Amino acid sequence: VEAGDAPAVIAELEPLHAADIADFIEQISSQQRRAFLALSADQLDGDVLSELEEGVREEVIEALPREALAEAVRELDTDDVVDILEDLEDIDQAYILETMESDDRAAVESSLAWPEHSAGRLMQSETVAVPQDWTVGAAIDFMRTEDWLPDQFYHVILVDERHRPSGYVTLGRLLSARRAMALSELVEESFLSVEATEEEEEVAHLFNKYHLISMPVVDQSGRLVGVITIDDAMAVLDDEHEEDMLRMAGVNEESSLSDRIIDTAKGRFLWLFINLITAIFASLVIAQFEDEISALVALAVLMPIVASMGGNAGTQSMTVAVRALATRELTGQNTRRVIWRELAVGMINGSAFGLIMAVVAGFWFGLPMLAVVIALSMFATLASAALSGIVLPVMLDKMKVDPALASGPFVTTVTDVVGFFAFLGLASVMLL
Amino acid sequence: VEAGDAPAVIAELEPLHAADIADFIEQISSQQRRAFLALSADQLDGDVLSELEEGVREEVIEALPREALAEAVRELDTDDVVDILEDLEDIDQAYILETMESDDRAAVESSLAWPEHSAGRLMQSETVAVPQDWTVGAAIDFMRTEDWLPDQFYHVILVDERHRPSGYVTLGRLLSARRAMALSELVEESFLSVEATEEEEEVAHLFNKYHLISMPVVDQSGRLVGVITIDDAMAVLDDEHEEDMLRMAGVNEESSLSDRIIDTAKGRFLWLFINLITAIFASLVIAQFEDEISALVALAVLMPIVASMGGNAGTQSMTVAVRALATRELTGQNTRRVIWRELAVGMINGSAFGLIMAVVAGFWFGLPMLAVVIALSMFATLASAALSGIVLPVMLDKMKVDPALASGPFVTTVTDVVGFFAFLGLASVMLL
């Protein structure tokens, strides 16, 4: 299918969901993509565009003639338009905005005025809001006469005379209530709105925590300016997770399988370079003990074990910390208890592996003092790994630095340096 | 607040959302929790119970008298009841089922009959379904007369005469359409239902991919048995991410900050033990080159750098692979291209860091051949790290083993062994 004749491919794709077409476009190679777009540019749906991941989408947008792009964008909800436009250059943005209807353009422009990654960028401007003193019947009649209603909406938002949201009624309740009933009697118990400047990550967290389906967005004066629906919040949550996971591993979070090889290599280079610096730093520690190593090569054989165990124990604590910070489980109140917990866990496992390694090293090299040295250094390394694994992310978070991004190199440096220094230093004092 | 008088605390919690009360219960210490429960057991809401994370929930359930538990469970939707019951012991399950109303009990029992982590466990049995040939007016009248409608629903599902779903209509469209209109004219274009035996992870993926809000669940014969709403799918997605992230770091995915210290230590012990085995394995490689190391201690100083860089490059590829497998971006079709990409990225960065380290080692130790050895071994290690980082997760996935859980130790073993062997082996041949 992927090789030759484009019309056949296009016919094949026709009945598919936009998300599947987007998947197809992502999975073929760059060359195939160009060939495909050359033939199908004018038939590309706006929905497909908004389903594409950023890297590929840029490629596709560059390949599309401006008119086809404007055409594709016109059918979309304003939140999807914003999502596409925010990555475009100013000239292209302006061109597409010009071709839009004035209502939609105004909505998109005001949404683009909010900061990147804010609730204002995520929301759609089409809201279904009615005065808070209306009845069920009035609301239903209103909805039946209006024809601009958004594709997807699940609540009617009640607003006061200054257009500030005061509650919402689910459509299910609205449908099952008598016409004469006041809307105010049907409002959901818990009602949450969010300021347009709030970070999208926080919004996603609120959706997940409170099982929300949609959330009104207000401006600084509390007036309703839009609404965020859960499907967008779910996509944000998914992206944030991906970001955390990739960042922790030192992979550029915007990288994707469809990037160019050289870009991917560059993206990973920086992290590896930082790691190289920390590794050289650890080697400098080892270099201080060259004499000891020449005297007893067993030290060179065993020292990577200590460092490797420290690195893994540190990663365990760090991952728990990064995750707990992301889910707001690790808050100011329980920080001290959690740090103590991690240290205790590190000391318990440090003792356990200290004992195990003492036995292993004792049998392997037959030197009782070497066994004692490795036991003590294993304990020190695992305890300090656990401690730095929890303390460093917490400190970075306090300093408003993303702990997922920055913790790794620090923790590795601590565990390597402590591991080598403890092991070789103790050996130098106790063994030689 | 946390210390002394319980009535004050209870009064403080009263107006809060169940999710916040659950957070409070999770964050206080075990002792405080017991004291709190002793005083507030009979006032505990079912909602709070379903918001608690598993470990703490077990603790709370054990502390609650059976009657209070049954009372709390009675108010919940069937999907939340299932969620709580599936972790209970059989006797307690039976007791709570007995106290439920017969309709609800039947629904919960049939849901519990589906496998764990399946769509059948996730769904709620209360569905709003009407014959597919009805009109808007008929559907609205039906909803107005029925009083058992679920708390949250967003679609009316159309079913044929054998109760098989054929499409759905959003409540928004229903409300904005004329009464005489046929429901079949209002159905959403894309309609997806899922079998009750499908894995919940797959369900969450479908929700996220197709921006679904709710999805009908059918049994083997295609009959409608329940519906899954997006908030539950979002929670599953969140859990799956957490699981992947923690598993990759070797942390038991069911662990939480509120577990007992000794349990946490035990949970991490196994992973560290596996790591110890691989580290010892790597040390055995080093031990083969004891003579070379005695002859040239610089080898001991530099070898951790090679292994560390390999470990990091391997983790980068592995994380990308685990993530791409989880999001279904890495499928059979593009596997070969992705493997080649990773290998190419590994070779590019291997060349770059080979050169850098050649310069560093050359200046540091003043031995040209040592520079050549470290350059070559850096290249070999980074290339094999990238390759094993992508190939091992793909292979494990093919073997139906969770790549997030099992890839780490394999990749580390490969990078350590290759790193030490290449560096020390080349040194032995070329230098000494």
Side-chain angles (χ1 to χ4, degrees), chain A residues 268 272, chain B residues 306 309-311 313-314 317 339-354 375-391 411 414-415 418-419 422:
Chain A
R268 300 205 193 152
L272 290 174
Chain B
V306 178
M309 293 296 285
S317 298
I339 291 177
W340 159 243
R341 267 177 55 82
E342 288 297 324
L343 179 59
V345 168
M347 292 195 297
I348 292 173
N349 278 332
S351 311
F353 285 102
L376 291 178
S377 57
M378 191 68 102
F379 176 83
T381 306
L382 261 59
S384 65
L387 192 62
S388 64
I390 186 91
V391 169
V411 174
V414 170
T415 58
V418 171

Side-chain angles (χ1 to χ4, degrees), chain B residues 61 66-67 69-70 73-74 81-82 84-102 104-106 108-109 112:
Chain B
I61 284 178
R66 274 182 166 192
E67 298 76 35
L69 182 59
V73 163
R74 214 166 306 147
V81 176
V82 170
I84 291 176
L85 287 194
E86 56 188 7
D87 302 323
L88 291 184
E89 284 170 43
D90 289 349
I91 335 165
D92 294 326
Q93 248 188 36
Y95 173 79
I96 291 174
L97 281 171
E98 258 172 49
T99 68
M100 294 179 70
E101 285 172 39
S102 62
D104 287 350
R105 184 171 62 223
V108 169
E109 281 173 339
L112 281 172

